[in-house]
Structure formats: structure tokens, C-alpha cells
Amino acid sequence: MVAEDLTWKRIICFALLAIILILSVIFGIHAAAKPIAQAIPHKLLRAAGEYITVPYINKYGVCDADSGTAALDKIIQRITTVANISRPFEVTVIKAPNINDAFSAPGSKILLFSGLIAACNSADELTGILAHEIAHSIAGDPEVSIVRDNGLFIIFLAMFGRDPIISHHILTLKYSQQAEFAADALAIQLLQKSNINTSGLQDFLSRSTSDNPTHPATSARIKAIQKLAPPNSRMQPVLSHAEWAALKNICN
Amino acid sequence: MENINHLQYTGSTEQLSKVWAWLVVMNILTLGIYSFWGKTMLRQYLARNFILADNNFMYHGTSKQLGLGFLTALPLWLLLILAYKIFADTALENAYAVFLTIIVIFLTFVGLFSSLRYRITHTTWRGMQATMDGNAWHYGACALWMAIVSLFSLGLMLGWMDHNLYKNKLNKITIQGLEVKYIGEAQDLFRINWITLLLAIPTLWLSRIWYTAYVRRYVYNHTYIGTYKIHNTEQGQQLVKLFVWGFATTLFSLGLLYPLVVQWKMQYIAKYFAIIGDLTKIKPTDDQTTNNSNGEGIYDIMDLETNLW
């Protein structure tokens, strides 16, 4: 075909086809990411989790004081045992007092930064955050995120010949926010099943001064949590004062 | 009285818009694979619409050759990327980064030479076909050396580099027995290079566009094709205007008016380019392109975009 054979009718027809294809990719990747992620062998997921977590461990170091680690294990046990979760979660505390964050990586790995522990006012708050990260892990969000992110990146790169950083970022932003709401909801369920105070997560979020762009607005999250678990839900404390103090000093 | 044969461009913005829209749509649908067909279609269209002495040019390159060239160059790129992954987070990471930079510069020049050779040898006028001797790797090595010298001279030797780059390309071309000969001197480019370098920052680099126009005018006005002389009259002011308008139009239209910018570029080329001599002496022959070489692999992988050929 030569250039002179092109007609606007033909171009518009194919353009409509291209739009349908783009929309299919956008929504198709979202739908396909979870089944693809679930099909990935656990060995590979653990390797992926290590690939993500080891650089942090190497860069900052690990906090593993015995009594603090025991207290942390107690929280994890409490959440997972009563909720009947059989898979083992590997929670590592990273020695980074300036980082107020936690994230879950593929292969049931969770990284907790010491800055976050320091920012928590009570064991209930830290438990709420851990429940949130465990919820991400149960939902397979880290694995889905990797499949979704790499799949989208590669496809956009091929379609447009350049790295469309902005469109890719906006798309994954939307998915991350959906996953966050779902993780909050599942975390509340886990806490309720485990007889743990559900207001911890809400209390921690209430003190949050800035919004993370990959998370929904904090106020929206608090509202959603309040609907699921009214603030007067009082349960058994997850740690004693001594255990909480030990956890706070896990890096010493 | 000299016979001045002006180049004419007869393409239309509407047709270019159709081609551009078609390329975008087909690249999306084929995840970029259509780019080889698209480039071929565009080059054929542009060639057909450049007319010299009542005869248009013909582009004979094929999408298959471009695709094969791309596949030939791909393993080299994959090797470089793999090596980068291996050396990342090791003691050799920085050394490899320097090495990779040098290699990329080298391959840029290799790609430019081989792509130019491919296009020239696959374009005919009145059936006349060009050949281009020389070795792209040798050209790349020479160009790299000159680039290093220019870098260490803080740009003062760029005139020398540009002179030699043009010389190493133009003097390798023969068009149906007519040798292309560039007879310029490097020192004629030194002063303009120094002046425009000095003015680069105050003029936000626009002085370097002036320099580009000067170099092109100088080079082509000192180039012969056999006994025929190339005549170039472009001036810095016009090239700056083209650049500024083209950039602004592309930017503010978010690329939608890019075909218009291409049209301006083609009209610009035709406006300032001519051949002096009696072209009626050259009798048309049947187009017999026998060059089966593969296309611009390195050029394609590095996405080195040039306007026309």
C-alpha cells in the first residue's frame, strides 16, 4: 500500500480499533493480573520478594533484639492464628529511624521500618498497620502489582515507542488506591476475628500529616474504617506494657 | 549562463497527516512492529514528491530490509543491556557506565553512517543509483575520536569535526559514475564555530542552529557531483525560524500538528537546494536497484530520527 491509497475512512476505522485495543489493555491487564499472579510458583514469588527486600536490608541493616522480636512475633501469631492463616509471614524490621513506612513484598514478606515503630503511640496502632500489610499479602497485592506494572510498562513501551511515565503512573495509582481500601477492610476483619482493638489503625491515620500519592486520601480511609469498625470496639490488648516497650526498643 | 535546477517539493500537508495518523494507529495495533512498513511508506511518499529537473526521486528500500537490519542489530543491544545488569551494584558499575557511554556514542555514528548509506543507495533519480563506499565501523571509530577531541577542546574543534564527518561521508558516494567530491577546508568553519559557541548561552543555543545552517551551506556549496555543483542558499535566520516554529507547533499541539512541521521542513529543504549544471545531458534509465543490503538496524534501535534521508 502506498501513501496515496490512504483514506480518512480507513484511518478512522483502524483508529477506533486501536482505541478498543487500548481500553482492553487498560481494563484487561487489571482483570488478568490477579489470575496471572496467582499462577506464579511460590518459589519465584519468594525470590521476587527477596529481590525487593534484600537491598533495604543491606543498606540499612536489621533490628532484631530478642525481646522486641518476640513481641513482634506475638502480634503476628495473634493475627494469623485466630484468623486461620496457615502461610508463614516473614516480618523484618529495618533500622531506618527516618523512614515512617511499611510495605509488603511478594512471597509473604513484610518490611517494617523502625521509624514507623517509633511513630506508633500504642501496640494497637502498630498491630493495625501490620494487619493492613498482612491483608495486602493475603490478597496477593504485591504479586498483582508487579504483574500489572511490568505488563503495562512493556505494553505501553511497545505501543508508543517511549516510556509514558505519566500515563503509567496514573493508571497504577488508581489500582493502588483500590487495593488500599480493600486492605483496610480485610485488616479490620482480621483484627476483629483476633479480638484485637480495631481503633489502632484509625488512630495512627488520624495523626498522619501528609497523603501518600499511592494511597487514598487519609480522611477517606478513616471514614471507611469507621464504617467497618465503630470506635468504641474495645478488645483485649495485644501486648503488655513490657512487651510494647521491648518492641519499641527492638533496634537497641 | 549557469543552469540552476531547483529542487521542488510537491507533497501536501493533508497527505502527510494521513500518513502520520496511519502510522500512529498501526503502531498501536501492532505494538510497534508496523514501524518498518510505516517508514518505508513515508520515505516513498517523500521521495516521490521531491522533483529535480522534472523527474522525481524514487525510494526503493523495503520494510523487510529494515526489519532484518533491526533484528541483526538487536543482539548487540541486548548484550550491552545484559552486561549493564551484570555490572550493576558491583565495583565495576561506574567503569561500565563510562564504557557504555563511549560505546553508545560510537554506535550512534555507526548507525548514522549505515543509515545514510542505506537510504542513498536505495534512492534513485532518473534511474541513477548511488553507491557509497567506506565502512560504518571505521567511520564510527573516526567520529568517536573526533568527538573526544572536540569534547576536550570544549567544543573549539567542532568545526574540524563537522568538516571531517561530512568529508568522510560525501567523498564515499558515487552516483552512476559521477563521484561526489567535497573540497572544503576545515579552517573555514573554525571562526563561525567559535563565535556561535560564545553566543550559545546568551541565545539559548539558537546560535548553534545558525552554525548548522552555515555548515550545511558551506559544505554543499563546496560539493560537486561529477561536474555538477550543489547550490545551497539556506541562512541561519530561516533555519532558526523553522526550528522555533516547528518546536512550538509540535509542543503546543501535543504532537497533533507534527505533519505540518514535517511539511515545513520538506518545503525548507526544497527551497534552498539546487544543482547547477545541464541535467538534460543525463538520460533517464530504468530503475534497477540491485542493492539487497539490510536496513538501518543500529539506527532503528537507537531511534536516531532524521528528517528525510
Side-chain angles (χ1 to χ4, degrees), chain A residues 128-149:
Chain A
I129 292 163
L130 278 170
H132 176 89
E133 295 306 328
I134 288 172
H136 272 312
S137 197
I138 293 169
D141 289 339
E143 294 84 359
V144 169
S145 183
I146 284 174
V147 167
R148 182 197 64 218
D149 287 358

Side-chain angles (χ1 to χ4, degrees), chain B residues 169-215:
Chain B
K169 287 187 294 224
L170 292 170
N171 290 358
K172 299 276 192 292
I173 300 171
T174 306
I175 303 173
Q176 212 83 28
L178 299 173
E179 281 184 0
V180 177
K181 196 86 186 148
Y182 165 57
I183 58 170
E185 297 289 337
Q187 57 256 35
D188 293 338
L189 299 177
F190 282 176
R191 197 169 63 162
I192 186 70
N193 176 47
W194 296 338
I195 293 170
T196 54
L197 269 178
L198 217 59
L199 294 172
I201 293 173
T203 63
L204 301 176
W205 226 255
L206 291 176
S207 65
R208 296 305 291 171
I209 298 174
W210 218 282
Y211 168 75
T212 302
Y214 184 96
V215 167

Side-chain angles (χ1 to χ4, degrees), chain A residues 2 14 23 70 77 90 105 175 181 197 202:
Chain A
V2 294
F14 277 84
L23 290 173
Q77 278 276 79
E90 191 182 314
Y175 296 153
F181 275 122
N197 191 347
Q202 187 185 318

Side-chain angles (χ1 to χ4, degrees), chain B residues 161-174:
Chain B
M161 178 178 167
D162 286 334
H163 159 82
N164 280 298
L165 287 181
Y166 272 109
K167 190 173 167 186
N168 278 328
K169 287 187 294 224
L170 292 170
N171 290 358
K172 299 276 192 292
I173 300 171
T174 306

Side-chain angles (χ1 to χ4, degrees), chain A residues 8 11 15, chain B residues 16-27 259:
Chain A
W8 282 117
I11 293 167
Chain B
L16 275 176
S17 301
K18 282 186 197 170
V19 172
W20 177 84
W22 179 248
L23 294 195
V24 168
V25 166
M26 290 307 290
N27 272 326

Side-chain angles (χ1 to χ4, degrees), chain A residues 1 3-4 8 14 158 162, chain B residues 14-15 22 25 31 48 303:
Chain A
M1 185 170 62
E4 287 79 356
W8 282 117
F14 277 84
R162 294 279 186 276
Chain B
E14 196 203 340
Q15 194 60 53
W22 179 248
V25 166
L31 301 182
R48 268 199 301 278
D303 207 13

